[in-house]
Amino acid sequence: MKLQEAIAKSGVVAVLRNATANNIREVVETLKESGVFAIEITVENEGGYEAVEACKDIDGIALGAGTVLTLDQARKALVAGATFIVSPILDVEVVKYCKLRNVEVVPGVFTPSEIAKAAFAGADMVKLFPAVQLGPNYLKNIKAPLPSIPIMVTGGIDIDNAFDYLSAGASAIGIGSQLVDLKKSGTEGFLEGIRQRSLEFVRVAEKVRETK
């Protein structure tokens, strides 16, 4: 599944940190069952690439690698099975590398100039990060002159502000520990908690779509 297709289904991207091959598969299956189909596994930790590989055969999801900073990391992520790349920064060479391979790429941006530069380089979407430092009104003002560039907001997004960011024009919300805290993997009610939170975020996205 392509990232854009997965986002069209729910508008929610699960950002999974501290993932390993041993703690991730049940989590991804639970997210999928709960209506979250866009999965971003970050690769700044040692087990990140192995976690991506452990999930590459799960049907019905878009499986991406996040916190990709360099070309070498992008290469390793694609070898592991990632089908899209997310970065907290804008590196034009990483964007071009992905586009040459027909891989969706979402670089990190903060300013209108960075958003435009990323789009001109071929980015499929941009990641406004950290979004909480800017707020929904900033996003709304950005979308006025740049309406055609899809924006995912990440960093500080929770159940209390998700509606505001989506209403302001975000194409997707990237949710980290507010959705899944892998440090709590294996504890009682861990997977059920993920299920309930996923359903809450998906309902918020649906509510926004109903108002448009």
Side-chain angles (χ1 to χ4, degrees):
M1 182 182 293
K2 289 286 190 179
L3 174 62
Q4 298 284 2
E5 182 183 353
I7 286 173
K9 286 178 175 289
S10 73
V12 180
V13 179
V15 182
L16 307 180
R17 298 193 179 278
N18 303 304
T20 68
N22 296 324
N23 70 5
I24 194 62
R25 193 174 175 92
E26 281 189 329
V27 169
V28 173
E29 293 281 11
T30 300
L31 288 164
K32 173 186 169 183
E33 292 166 4
S34 306
V36 177
F37 305 102
I39 310 297
E40 174 192 336
I41 297 175
T42 67
V43 295
E44 78 280 5
N45 62 297
E46 188 173 337
Y49 299 104
E50 289 78 11
V52 171
E53 188 168 9
C55 298
K56 67 181 181 181
D57 65 339
I58 299 177
D59 292 330
I61 62 168
L63 179 64
T67 318
V68 173
L69 304 176
T70 66
L71 281 173
D72 183 58
Q73 287 179 314
R75 292 187 190 101
K76 290 174 67 175
L78 297 186
V79 169
T83 59
F84 67 90
I85 297 294
V86 182
S87 177
I89 63 171
L90 171 57
D91 186 314
V92 171
E93 292 306 311
V94 170
V95 173
K96 291 180 177 179
Y97 174 83
C98 292
K99 296 319 297 175
L100 284 172
R101 286 151 184 82
N102 198 31
V103 172
E104 291 170 294
V105 58
V106 186
V109 297
F110 199 71
T111 67
S113 293
E114 287 180 333
I115 292 171
K117 186 175 181 180
F120 294 153
D124 299 274
M125 175 180 283
V126 295
K127 168 181 170 176
L128 190 63
F129 173 81
V132 73
Q133 302 297 324
L134 298 169
N137 285 336
Y138 179 89
L139 174 61
K140 185 176 181 179
N141 289 332
I142 287 292
K143 290 294 290 186
L146 301 171
S148 64
I149 302 173
I151 297 176
M152 175 173 72
V153 290
T154 306
I157 309 303
D158 57 31
I159 199 64
D160 294 321
N161 61 26
F163 182 90
D164 294 333
Y165 281 99
L166 288 167
S167 296
S171 297
I173 47 175
I175 316 293
S177 60
Q178 293 290 328
L179 180 57
V180 178
D181 185 354
L182 283 170
K183 292 180 180 179
K184 298 179 180 178
S185 178
T187 60
E188 185 177 356
F190 175 65
L191 292 177
E192 182 58 28
I194 292 171
R195 190 185 315 278
Q196 293 301 321
R197 290 188 293 274
S198 296
L199 292 171
E200 288 179 7
F201 279 110
V202 170
R203 278 196 292 267
V204 168
E206 290 174 348
K207 185 178 179 181
V208 172
R209 291 174 183 180
E210 289 171 359
T211 62
K212 291 185 176 180

